[in-house]
Amino acid sequence: MVEFRGYRLAGLTAASLLAVSLAGTAHAQVTLNVITAGDQNMLDYINDFLAPKFEAKNPGVKVRAVGTGPGDSGSQSVFEKLKAQKANDKWDVDVAVVHQFISGPMMNEGLLAKYTGDIEAGKLATRDSAKNALGANVEGYVMPMFNSQIAVAYNPDMVKEPPRTYQQLADWVKANPKKFGYNGIKGGMSGVGFVTGWMYAFAPSGLGITTSYDANAKSNWKDALASLKEFNKNAVITPGNAGTLDMLGRGEIAMGPVWVDMFYSWMGDGKLNPNTKLVLLGPGMPGQPMYYVLPAKATNQDAAKKFIDFAASPEIQAEGIVKRYNWYPGIDAQHVQKYLDQATWNKLFTNVTPADLATKGKVFPVAAHLKEIQESYEANVTQ
């Protein structure tokens, strides 16, 4: 299983979840149980930000959220908890927040309800990530909580005319050796995402590998991998996601792929040249959403739908997702604009516009193809 960029929170047992879910029920007509894979900030976001606001608008409802752990294992724990209750008439989880990779298996196992057509916010998320999860058609079953996006950061003092496509980047790197850096295929998902975008641009299968598995696709990747090996001769392999940003901040490289939220965190901490900008390369670069999902037999389905609709509403997405965490919203970006001050809007959406996100913000490919890309890189590019 591919290990996506993770979040760090000690896992909680099913017994812990039950204990927390029962706490506070004496004074509430409904306790809405939410479980989330993710870092402490994910849990704090729900308990400290979403819950009080939702409860104020919905008297008699109490929101209780607990975490299941970081990365893939946290989402796997959600999957296993719901599967263990599959035979029960009602389940004790009303809303779950999971990584992209697990949503397809959860849907196929019959653990999720199809619900986004029943909420207003469901109309506001039209990106591929609202429909496609590593090749699984999850349309109707998932609502993106936010979208983490990979883009290329560049220092305009060193790059006067930034490349706008992968082909332009290849030409630029050839003319400016050792000024572009990325973290290969093992140093973090920004590097994996960059390589994936390269395959979208240069492999004959292109973006077709995001929607279905083609057993013949890999056999036609030879030229794309050979061109990437040649590209690497003039590139710098950096030591991880943070390593790319560090080298960029110290002026050792002029460009490199980064996670946008990490980029703005580093910018806010003064670790980057304040003039540093972002560009999303065509035909596209992948990102990784987190999803709100509705368990198929949630005890409080109506309240759960109302909670997700509230959490995905433009005003809440603007205040919580964009302003607090520098994430791109789960809904289409244009819907949050009127709820943001001009400085916040300009920070996130001037270099990478809503139109860029809509046309060039892509999903990762079908899981089997993503694994093949990583294996092919190791076999043909690093050797």
Side-chain angles (χ1 to χ4, degrees):
M1 182 64 66
V2 177
E3 182 176 338
F4 284 87
R5 186 168 63 104
Y7 303 90
R8 300 172 299 279
L9 177 66
L12 294 177
T13 64
S16 300
L17 174 61
L18 183 59
V20 173
S21 71
L22 290 176
T25 57
H27 302 292
Q29 296 172 354
V30 173
T31 297
L32 196 67
N33 292 318
V34 181
I35 58 174
T36 176
D39 199 353
Q40 184 67 42
N41 63 3
M42 297 282 287
L43 191 61
D44 292 345
Y45 176 69
I46 297 170
N47 276 332
D48 299 341
F49 177 75
L50 282 181
K53 289 181 176 294
F54 182 74
E55 290 167 1
K57 288 181 174 290
N58 297 272
V61 178
K62 195 71 175 176
V63 178
R64 288 285 181 262
V66 295
T68 58
D72 287 1
S73 60
S75 288
Q76 187 68 33
S77 294
V78 178
F79 176 87
E80 291 169 359
K81 175 169 177 56
L82 296 183
K83 188 174 180 180
Q85 300 184 65
K86 190 172 182 180
N88 298 350
D89 292 334
K90 293 291 183 180
W91 302 346
D92 63 1
V93 177
D94 298 305
V95 177
V97 181
V98 297
H99 291 84
Q100 188 182 38
F101 85 95
I102 202 69
S103 57
M106 291 177 79
M107 181 190 69
N108 292 335
E109 190 69 29
L111 302 179
L112 302 182
K114 192 171 187 178
Y115 74 96
T116 62
D118 299 334
I119 63 175
E120 287 298 315
K123 304 170 186 175
L124 307 181
T126 63
R127 281 182 60 174
D128 289 348
S129 58
K131 308 169 186 176
N132 181 346
L134 302 183
N137 181 2
V138 293
E139 186 172 7
Y141 291 88
V142 302
M143 188 73 209
M145 179 186 187
F146 64 84
N147 283 291
S148 286
Q149 179 64 49
I150 298 166
V152 170
Y154 68 94
N155 184 338
D157 296 338
M158 302 170 70
V159 184
K160 301 303 181 184
E161 292 291 334
R164 300 289 174 181
T165 67
Y166 269 90
Q167 183 59 63
Q168 290 177 10
L169 176 66
D171 296 340
W172 188 92
V173 168
K174 188 174 182 180
N176 299 273
K178 304 303 180 181
K179 293 299 182 182
F180 177 90
Y182 76 104
N183 54 320
I185 206 78
K186 289 186 174 180
M189 285 303 293
S190 63
V192 176
F194 174 77
V195 171
T196 298
W198 184 279
M199 302 304 289
Y200 293 163
F202 297 116
S205 46
L207 285 160
I209 61 175
T210 65
T211 55
S212 60
Y213 182 74
D214 179 359
N216 297 317
K218 182 180 176 181
S219 63
N220 296 315
W221 290 353
K222 182 179 178 181
D223 289 346
L225 294 166
S227 66
L228 183 53
K229 185 171 185 175
E230 188 66 25
F231 174 91
N232 276 7
K233 292 178 181 179
N234 293 312
V236 176
I237 301 301
T238 67
N241 293 325
T244 302
L245 284 162
D246 186 49
M247 294 185 73
L248 188 68
R250 289 188 277 115
E252 296 177 10
I253 57 175
M255 281 195 292
V258 299
W259 287 102
V260 171
D261 56 313
M262 285 185 69
F263 170 84
Y264 283 115
S265 293
W266 279 58
M267 183 74 77
D269 291 340
K271 296 178 181 179
L272 296 174
N273 180 329
N275 295 324
T276 309
K277 299 183 184 301
L278 294 169
V279 61
L280 196 53
L281 298 178
M285 303 183 76
Q288 178 191 351
M290 293 289 282
Y291 290 139
Y292 291 112
V293 295
L294 177 65
K297 296 182 183 180
T299 299
N300 302 297
Q301 286 215 2
D302 290 342
K305 290 178 186 178
K306 188 177 290 188
F307 176 81
I308 297 171
D309 200 21
F310 175 79
S313 64
E315 186 173 4
I316 294 300
Q317 288 268 300
E319 183 181 352
I321 295 299
V322 178
K323 293 187 73 170
R324 284 182 172 235
Y325 289 105
N326 297 314
W327 289 322
Y328 286 120
I331 60 177
D332 298 347
Q334 66 268 24
H335 300 302
V336 304
Q337 184 171 11
K338 71 177 182 178
Y339 298 101
L340 294 171
D341 59 88
Q342 196 62 46
T344 300
W345 175 264
N346 290 344
K347 183 175 75 171
L348 255 68
F349 299 112
T350 296
N351 300 147
V352 178
T353 68
D356 288 333
L357 290 171
T359 58
K360 293 184 285 189
K362 301 301 181 182
V363 294
F364 278 96
V366 172
H369 279 314
L370 183 56
K371 182 179 179 182
E372 287 176 346
I373 288 172
Q374 293 172 290
E375 292 172 345
S376 297
Y377 184 98
E378 285 293 301
N380 299 281
V381 179
T382 62
Q383 301 302 320

